[in-house]
Amino acid sequence: MTTNGVLVLLPELLILLTIVGLLLAEVGYYQERMRLVTLTALLGVGSAFLQSLLSLLFGPVRAFDGMLTVDGLSIYFKILAYMFALFSIVGISLSNRIRLDRRVEAYVFVLSSVLGVSITVSSGHLLLTFFGLQLLCLSTLFLIAIDGRNRISVEAAVKYFAPWVISSACFLFGAGILFSVAHTFNLQEIHAALVAHELTRTSGLVVFLLFFISIGFQMGAFPAIHWVPDVLTGGVPVLSSLLVTLSRLAGFSVFIRLVSLFFSQSTDQPGTWRVLGQIDWTVILSVCSGVTLLYGGLLALRQKTILRRIGYLFVSQTGFLMMGVVVLNDIGMGSMLFHLLIDGMAALGTIASLGGFFEGLPSDRFEDVQGTFSVAAWESFCVVFFLASFVGIPPFPGFIAKFAMFESILVQKWYLLALVGLVGMILNMVSVVELLMVLMGSGKGNQMVWAGADGSTQGIVLKKAFLVLLFLPLAGTLFFCENILNLSIQVVRYILW
């Protein structure tokens, strides 16, 4: 079904207008006492969020000759991106780490990264997908180094830039090979061409590896994993957690769409797919999934700083999420989408809970953070809840998503992959428990100076209220997990394959 392109583009137009409004407000600023930039950013992203929800009323549609697609996949990922951005904008306004004169820059680049994700997940054209990913990566690069006086931030930006270039080159090479076969960059037309004339064994392997290396960088999958802890450590935590989360959203949305169109096709049984072509890429993906899961989990155990440990936990969770694509059924992909929701909320909540600790201590090394739990009871409880949800410790929300994933893996008889997933899950749990024991010990953290964004009691209250705002939706998934999981599975069936 096709529709008016303006309606399809309305969420992106709202984000773009908000960016323009923020830039004009910055140009016209002349030492006014009251600034509405935070409210403007919230209203812009909130409007795009509501418009994405309304898109569900139109059903799956295409616009601009198939260049843009609005279906279950794009709407789901847009809603997650806008929701995470709303929370992060509030977090930025409460953070001591971002100077007041840099707030507008932070909001503009956050909105630019969200716009990049929105374009990427809605794209039905390889070149438009490439453009969306580049916009996301460029915005991410600026946000990592937003504190130009911090050497670690600049170093993290450089470490992010190098794999980004390789990723972009691999994407273009893969797109070029497909164009030589299908003579088009339209995803649906490429799928039709590949069904009619399968790629040779060598060409299929090369195309799959090129796209996996490219999109794997966005997801934080092996071998491009080390930028994740570098970004979390070098950037402002409240920004870095959003950037890693948005990158994973964009990566997984593109990977699902490319795999479903270029490397698989639906079977006679609803909700299942089979490998398209002469290469069984599911074996390659399962190996990369297991390596990412175990390698990330083992590296997390070796880290003695909080942010680097959380960064490698991100990597390990990516390995687990990739299993949802390996099984090639709607339950596996639906549980992966549910898992992405839990992961994003838990990651943002963990960083927000620890934010006050970071701002009151010289570093996030274990010896500096020991005993911080004795300073703030509510924040400490939130750290435990969010971290436990993130790695799937029973009975927290993350465990429910993993349980559904294990079910889909076992149904497809990937027993070795299920065993690897179980081992990785145990490694992550051990890593989190060890971290919590450090935070509950006695040490320099007992002497932490706790303050709000403006150093006032009101700032402390606002930070506690923000944690409540993050806590309630994630806690709600625990009570409505079956409904959300069923909704995620329906989203997969609602995709324009």
Side-chain angles (χ1 to χ4, degrees), residues 18 27 81 83 92 128 151 154 183 201 264 300 382 384 395 483:
T18 305
V27 172
M83 180 175 65
I92 291 169
L128 186 60
R151 181 186 60 81
V154 177
H183 307 293
R201 185 177 182 85
S264 64
C382 287
V384 174
N483 304 83

Side-chain angles (χ1 to χ4, degrees), residues 137-417:
C137 292
L138 185 61
S139 303
T140 299
L141 191 66
F142 282 113
L143 283 172
I144 296 170
I146 194 169
D147 187 4
R149 298 175 298 181
N150 187 338
R151 181 186 60 81
I152 299 178
S153 297
V154 177
E155 181 182 339
V158 173
K159 290 180 178 179
Y160 178 84
F161 178 76
W164 169 30
V165 172
I166 297 173
S167 166
S168 301
C170 289
F171 191 97
L172 289 177
F173 279 130
I177 294 174
L178 289 178
F179 183 81
S180 68
V181 174
H183 307 293
T184 179
F185 287 114
N186 184 283
L187 302 185
Q188 295 289 340
E189 293 175 3
I190 293 174
H191 174 72
L194 293 178
V195 171
H197 304 284
E198 292 183 353
L199 292 173
T200 64
R201 185 177 182 85
T202 302
S203 297
L205 178 61
V206 170
V207 170
F208 178 79
L209 290 178
L210 285 172
F211 278 117
F212 178 75
I213 292 172
S214 176
I215 307 303
F217 159 71
Q218 302 289 339
M219 298 187 295
F222 183 84
I225 65 173
H226 297 289
W227 69 268
V228 178
D230 287 335
V231 168
L232 281 177
T233 304
V236 178
V238 67
L239 286 175
S240 300
S241 58
L242 174 67
L243 297 176
V244 174
T245 301
L246 290 181
S247 181
R248 296 170 86 215
L249 288 181
F252 274 103
S253 68
V254 174
F255 194 61
I256 291 172
R257 205 175 288 279
L258 295 190
V259 162
S260 62
L261 291 174
F262 298 167
F263 307 107
S264 64
Q265 61 180 343
S266 57
T267 65
D268 296 333
Q269 183 178 355
T272 61
W273 297 266
R274 66 177 181 83
V275 173
L276 173 63
Q278 303 176 30
I279 295 293
D280 188 1
W281 53 266
T282 59
V283 176
I284 301 173
L285 186 60
S286 64
V287 172
C288 292
S289 171
V291 171
T292 303
L293 177 62
L294 296 180
Y295 188 48
L298 290 172
L299 286 179
L301 282 172
R302 293 174 56 87
Q303 306 307 309
K304 299 303 178 185
T305 61
I306 294 180
L307 289 176
R308 292 197 68 84
R309 176 162 292 201
I310 293 176
Y312 282 113
L313 287 175
F314 256 115
V315 171
S316 187
Q317 294 302 302
T318 295
F320 201 92
L321 288 166
M322 289 163 62
M323 296 180 183
V325 182
V326 173
V327 296
L328 285 177
N329 62 36
D330 54 358
I331 298 177
M333 291 193 181
S335 60
M336 181 187 67
L337 297 182
F338 182 32
H339 207 299
L340 279 169
L341 167 64
I342 301 297
D343 273 13
M345 291 297 302
L348 294 176
T350 300
I351 298 300
S353 304
L354 292 169
F357 300 160
F358 297 150
E359 293 170 0
L361 291 170
S363 75
D364 66 331
R365 294 193 301 269
F366 283 2
E367 59 265 27
D368 289 329
V369 300
Q370 283 182 330
T372 50
F373 273 15
S374 62
V375 179
W378 167 241
E379 289 76 8
S380 303
F381 169 76
C382 287
V383 170
V384 174
F385 176 78
F386 287 125
L387 276 178
S389 299
F390 187 59
V391 300
I393 297 177
F396 293 94
F399 173 75
I400 299 167
K402 284 182 168 58
F403 183 83
M405 183 75 76
F406 276 119
E407 179 186 0
S408 65
I409 294 170
L410 293 174
V411 166
Q412 296 300 111
K413 299 181 179 179
W414 286 87
Y415 301 122
L416 181 58
L417 189 61

Side-chain angles (χ1 to χ4, degrees), residues 8 20 52 60 62 67 79 179 242 259 277 297 380 402 463 481:
V8 174
V20 173
S52 295
R62 295 190 183 96
M67 286 193 68
I79 289 173
F179 183 81
L242 174 67
V259 162
S380 303
K402 284 182 168 58
K463 285 190 173 183
C481 57

